[in-house]
C-alpha cells in the first residue's frame, strides 16, 4: 500500500510539473524571451559566465611572489551561478549562490567551489528546470503571466516557499561558529569549511522560528562583543522592515518591526558605538513601472533619502529618529561612528539609479560620500568625498566595524558601453583627510584584468590600521584565467605580494570575507 501511494504521488508530481513547465514555455514563446539564454545576456557571458564544475584542488600554483607565512585562514567569495540553464529573462541578481573558497596556510593554498544547497535549488533540480520566477522575469505585461505560473506551481505542489526561496548568492559573514551565506530574500545558510578547504552546506538557519521575515545580506558583527545586528525588508509583507540582533552564541535577543511608508529596496545598514543606521532610500517597488514601461518594478522616486537612527538595544521602533538628507541611492555602507552628539556615515551613493542599467549615466556611478548627522540639532550634511572615483564594495578592517576608522578600500569601477560595471582596481580612501583629496592610494589590476571586492586581512602584530593585506580574485577578460591576488594595503602597490592561479575560472560575483584560522577551528561540527 505504501509503495502504491508513493507511486501515485510521484506520478501526480510529474503531471503537475509537466503542466506548469508547459504553461511557462508557452508564456516565453509569446513573450519572445526564449532567445535570452546563455550567450545572450551580458551577465551570462565572458568572465560572468557560470561554471558547471565543482572543483576541490590542493597545492595551487603561485605564479608570482609568495603567499605570506602569516596569512592563515580562508578567503571566501559568493556570487550568482545558475546551475540549471536560465529560461526567459535574466538579471545580475539572479542565479544560484556558488561559494569559492581559498584555504591558505603555511604559504600554500587549496581551492574549493560549491553551490549552496538551498531549498530553492533542491526543488528546481527535482523539477529539472528553473521553476521559480526570477528578477529578470519581472518586465512588461508578460510578467503578470509569470506570476500566475508561479502561483500555479505552488498550488500544484511543484514549488514551495515554506523553507524559503533565496539563492544565498549575495554576501558572507562569520558568526557563532558558522560561515553564513546570505541573500536578502531569505534566512542565512550555514556553511562549514574543512581543514582541507572543502566547503559544505550545513543547514538553513531558522533561529528557532524567532525570525519570520527576510534577513539582510549585510548584517554587522561587533568584533568586541560578538553580537550580530541585522535588519530585514520585504516589498510584499508589511510593515516592510524589521530590526533585531543576535548574541555571541547566535541566539535571537530581540526582533521587532520598523514600519516604513512604502516598500523599498534596503540593501545595507551601518553600525556605530551605540546606534544602528537604517537607510530608507527612494528606490521604491512599483508594479506599474513593470507593466507600463517594461522595466523592473522598482522606480527611483523624486524624494530625499532618510536615515533612521536607532539605539543598538532598542526595544521597539518607537525609539527611532529619521533624518532626511540628499536624494541618493546606496547599496553599500563603508563605516560609521559617533563623535559626541554627531554621527559620521560613509557610504557609496548614486544621484540616479536604475536596476535595468547600472551605469546608464555618470550620475548612476557610485562614489564614496559622507553624511554627518547632528543628533542634537536634528540636521544632516552631505558631500561626495574630494577626489572620489567611481566605485563600490567598500570595506574596512572588520575589527573596526561600528568604531572610528581611517581607511576604507573601494573596488574602482570603469563604465563601458555594455552597461555592465567593470572593476579595474582598488582605491584607498582616508576618511579623516578633511577638505583635501581623500584618495590615499590606488591599485590597478592592469591590462584586461578585472576584479571585485577586496577583503582587508590584518597582518598579525601590526599596530598600523592599514598594516595588512588586500585579498581578492582577479580574472583576465581575454584569457579568462582567474587568480587569487594578494596586495599590500599600506603601500597600495599594484605589484602583488602574491598571485595564485585558480584551477578553473571564477566567475565575477559579489561579496567576500576572510575567515581567520581561529574561526575555522571554532566552527560547529
Amino acid at each position: 500500500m505504501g509503495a502504491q501511494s508513493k507511486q501515485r504521488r510521484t506520478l501526480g508530481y510529474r503531471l503537475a510539473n509537466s503542466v506548469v513547465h508547459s504553461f511557462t514555455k508557452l508564456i516565453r514563446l509569446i513573450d519572445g524571451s526564449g532567445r535570452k539564454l546563455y550567450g545572450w545576456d551580458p551577465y551570462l557571458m565572458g568572465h560572468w559566465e557560470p561554471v558547471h564544475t565543482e572543483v576541490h584542488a590542493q597545492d595551487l600554483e603561485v605564479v608570482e611572489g609568495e603567499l605570506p607565512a602569516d596569512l592563515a585562514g580562508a578567503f571566501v567569495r559568493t556570487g550568482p551561478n545558475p546551475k540549471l540553464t536560465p529560461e526567459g529573462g535574466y538579471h545580475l541578481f539572479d542565479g544560484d549562490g556558488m561559494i569559492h573558497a581559498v584555504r591558505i596556510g603555511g604559504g600554500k593554498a587549496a581551492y574549493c567551489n560549491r553551490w549552496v544547497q538551498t531549498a530553492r535549488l533542491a526543488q528546481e533540480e527535482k523539477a529539472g528546470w528553473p521553476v521559480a520566477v526570477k528578477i529578470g522575469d519581472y518586465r512588461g505585461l508578460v510578467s503578470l503571466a509569470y506570476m500566475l505560473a508561479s502561483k500555479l506551481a505552488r498550488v500544484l505542489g511543484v514549488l514551495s516557499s515554506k523553507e524559503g526561496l533565496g539563492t544565498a548568492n549575495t554576501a558572507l559573514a562569520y558568526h557563532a561558529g558558522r560561515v553564513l551565506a546570505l541573500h536578502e530574500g531569505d534566512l542565512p545558510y550555514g556553511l562549514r569549511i574543512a581543514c582541507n578547504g572543502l566547503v559544505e552546506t550545513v543547514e538553513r538557519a531558522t533561529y528557532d522560528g524567532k525570525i519570520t521575515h527576510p534577513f539582510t545580506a549585510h548584517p554587522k558583527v561587533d568584533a568586541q562583543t560578538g553580537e550580530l545586528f541585522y535588519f530585514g525588508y520585504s516589498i510584499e509583507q508589511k510593515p516592510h522592515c524589521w530590526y533585531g540582533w543576535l548574541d555571541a552564541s547566535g541566539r535571537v535577543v530581540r526582533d521587532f518591526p520598523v514600519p516604513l511608508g512604502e516598500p523599498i529596496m534596503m540593501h545595507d545598514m551601518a553600525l556605530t558605538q551605540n546606534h544602528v543606521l537604517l537607510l530608507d532610500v527612494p528606490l521604491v517597488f512599483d508594479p506599474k513601472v513593470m507593466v507600463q514601461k517594461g522595466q523592473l518594478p522598482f522606480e527611483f522616486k523624486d524624494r530625499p533619502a532618510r536615515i533612521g537612527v536607532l539605539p543598538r538595544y532598542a526595544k521597539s521602533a518607537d525609539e527611532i529618529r529619521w533624518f532626511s538628507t540628499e536624494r541618493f541611492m546606496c547599496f553599500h555602507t563603508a563605516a560609521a561612528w559617533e563623535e559626541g552628539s554627531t554621527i559620521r556615515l560613509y557610504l557609496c551613493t548614486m544621484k540616479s539609479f536604475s536596476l535595468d542599467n547600472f551605469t546608464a549615466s555618470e550620475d548612476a556611478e557610485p562614489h564614496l560620500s559622507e553624511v554627518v548627522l547632528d543628533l542634537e540639532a536634528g540636521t544632516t550634511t552631505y558631500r561626495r568625498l574630494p577626489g572620489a572615483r567611481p566605485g563600490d564594495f567598500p570595506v574596512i578592517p572588520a575589527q573596526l566595524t561600528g568604531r572610528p576608522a581611517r581607511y576604507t578600500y573601494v573596488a574602482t569601477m570603469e563604465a563601458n558601453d555594455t552597461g555592465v560595471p567593470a572593476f579595474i582596481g582598488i582605491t584607498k580612501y582616508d576618511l579623516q583627510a578633511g577638505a583635501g583629496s581623500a584618495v590615499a592610494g590606488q591599485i590597478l589590476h592592469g591590462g584586461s584584468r578585472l576584479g571585485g571586492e577586496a577583503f582587508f586581512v590584518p597582518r598579525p602584530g601590526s599596530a598600523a590600521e592599514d598594516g595588512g593585506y588586500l585579498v581578492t580574485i582577479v580574472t583576465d577578460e581575454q584569457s579568462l584565467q582567474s587568480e587569487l591576488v594578494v596586495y599590500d594595503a599600506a603601500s597600495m602597490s599594484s605589484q602583488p605580494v602574491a598571485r595564485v592561479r585558480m584551477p578553473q575560472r571564477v566567475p565575477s560575483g559579489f561579496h567576500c570575507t576572510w575567515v581567520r584560522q581561529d574561526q575555522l577551528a571554532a566552527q560547529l561540527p
Side-chain angles (χ1 to χ4, degrees):
M1 186 69 178
Q4 290 179 341
S5 177
K6 182 178 180 180
Q7 186 178 32
R8 283 196 297 269
R9 287 198 303 270
T10 300
L11 290 173
Y13 173 83
R14 288 177 179 173
L15 177 60
N17 185 35
S18 177
V19 169
V20 176
H21 198 191
S22 298
F23 180 51
T24 305
K25 285 193 290 186
L26 177 61
I27 296 170
R28 287 178 177 142
L29 181 65
I30 296 171
D31 179 30
S33 63
R35 62 193 176 94
K36 299 178 183 178
L37 303 176
Y38 284 151
W40 183 90
D41 192 280
Y43 292 110
L44 296 172
M45 298 168 59
H47 58 97
W48 288 96
E49 184 179 350
V51 294
H52 306 287
T53 306
E54 293 181 321
V55 174
H56 183 209
Q58 302 288 330
D59 296 325
L60 304 184
E61 180 186 2
V62 180
V63 296
E64 181 179 346
E66 293 182 351
L67 284 169
D70 57 7
L71 189 63
F75 175 83
V76 193
R77 207 216 64 195
T78 189
N81 194 104
K83 189 170 187 179
L84 301 173
T85 301
E87 299 179 7
Y90 191 78
H91 187 270
L92 171 61
F93 296 165
D94 293 326
D96 303 299
M98 176 174 277
I99 304 299
H100 302 267
V102 183
R103 182 80 158 81
I104 299 173
K108 294 185 178 182
Y111 168 81
C112 180
N113 70 307
R114 290 290 186 270
W115 275 284
V116 183
Q117 298 302 308
T118 63
R120 174 178 179 144
L121 180 58
Q123 292 182 82
E124 294 194 332
E125 286 189 300
K126 179 181 178 181
W129 61 286
V131 57
V133 177
K134 308 180 302 302
I135 294 174
D137 291 323
Y138 289 115
R139 291 187 180 98
L141 187 62
V142 72
S143 57
L144 301 178
Y146 284 127
M147 286 188 276
L148 178 61
S150 178
K151 185 173 183 179
L152 180 64
R154 296 172 195 235
V155 170
L156 295 181
V158 178
L159 184 68
S160 170
S161 59
K162 183 179 179 181
E163 301 298 325
L165 289 174
T167 56
N169 70 5
T170 309
L172 298 151
Y174 178 92
H175 187 250
R178 281 280 181 263
V179 178
L180 301 177
L182 300 154
H183 177 269
E184 62 200 51
D186 200 351
L187 292 172
Y189 276 82
L191 311 175
R192 192 174 192 282
I193 303 173
C195 57
N196 62 358
L198 188 66
V199 178
E200 62 177 335
T201 303
V202 178
E203 62 184 354
R204 179 173 178 262
T206 60
Y207 299 106
D208 296 323
K210 294 181 179 179
I211 303 177
T212 58
H213 54 78
F215 191 99
T216 176
H218 290 290
K220 305 300 175 186
V221 178
D222 186 318
Q224 295 187 19
T225 68
E227 296 164 308
L228 181 147
F229 300 86
Y230 66 89
F231 73 93
Y233 79 91
S234 171
I235 59 174
E236 300 172 342
Q237 184 181 350
K238 289 185 177 182
H240 300 308
C241 183
W242 298 261
Y243 168 71
W245 70 94
L246 313 177
D247 65 18
S249 66
R251 291 191 293 261
V252 177
V253 179
R254 194 174 300 278
D255 184 284
F256 58 80
V258 180
L260 295 177
E262 52 190 353
I264 62 163
M265 180 174 285
M266 184 188 294
H267 186 67
D268 202 353
M269 63 182 286
L271 182 72
T272 71
Q273 297 96 317
N274 299 294
H275 296 88
V276 294
L277 308 180
L278 302 179
L279 307 180
D280 179 10
V281 295
L283 188 65
V284 182
F285 177 70
D286 187 350
K288 294 194 301 292
V289 174
M290 175 179 68
V291 176
Q292 295 172 358
K293 299 182 180 180
Q295 300 173 355
L296 291 173
F298 284 89
E299 186 166 28
F300 192 55
K301 301 286 188 179
D302 186 15
R303 70 160 173 86
R306 297 194 308 160
I307 299 172
V309 180
L310 186 66
R312 277 193 183 196
Y313 305 114
K315 295 182 179 179
S316 75
D318 293 340
E319 299 178 58
I320 198 168
R321 292 179 63 192
W322 289 104
F323 292 75
S324 292
T325 183
E326 300 288 318
R327 175 180 182 255
F328 62 69
M329 173 59 192
C330 169
F331 275 112
H332 302 115
T333 64
W337 65 84
E338 297 166 28
E339 296 175 353
S341 62
T342 297
I343 292 178
R344 294 189 179 277
L345 168 64
Y346 296 89
L347 66 176
C348 293
T349 66
M350 294 149 274
K351 296 179 181 178
S352 178
F353 185 74
S354 169
L355 274 178
D356 290 89
N357 189 343
F358 288 105
T359 55
S361 66
E362 285 188 23
D363 283 348
E365 295 175 349
H367 289 79
L368 189 63
S369 306
E370 177 192 62
V371 178
V372 179
L373 301 97
D374 188 321
L375 301 185
E376 287 187 355
T379 58
T380 65
T381 59
Y382 167 89
R383 66 168 183 150
R384 179 179 290 180
L385 288 195
R389 299 161 186 176
D392 211 332
F393 297 134
V395 295
I396 61 170
Q399 69 270 20
L400 296 180
T401 299
R403 292 169 177 83
R406 180 171 182 179
Y407 300 113
T408 186
Y409 307 89
V410 179
T412 309
M413 180 187 296
E414 184 179 76
N416 54 52
D417 56 7
T418 67
V420 178
F423 294 99
I424 60 172
I426 307 164
T427 301
K428 177 182 182 180
Y429 292 96
D430 186 344
L431 301 179
Q432 300 173 22
S437 175
V439 176
Q442 185 175 39
I443 290 168
L444 295 176
H445 300 311
S448 57
R449 293 158 57 82
L450 301 176
E453 184 176 69
F455 205 84
F456 177 86
V457 182
R459 183 182 291 113
S462 176
E465 182 186 312
D466 60 353
Y469 308 104
L470 294 172
V471 187
T472 189
I473 288 179
V474 172
T475 299
D476 190 300
E477 200 173 17
Q478 300 301 319
S479 67
L480 297 181
Q481 174 63 55
S482 296
E483 296 173 343
L484 177 114
V485 183
V486 181
Y487 294 107
D488 181 79
S491 68
M492 290 298 288
S493 171
S494 295
Q495 185 70 33
V497 174
R499 290 169 45 215
V500 181
R501 190 186 302 276
M502 296 291 97
Q504 71 172 351
R505 179 177 53 80
V506 177
S508 290
F510 297 142
H511 294 281
C512 59
T513 194
W514 176 260
V515 186
R516 302 190 312 265
Q517 186 67 31
D518 62 303
Q519 292 174 328
L520 290 169
Q523 291 177 102
L524 297 173

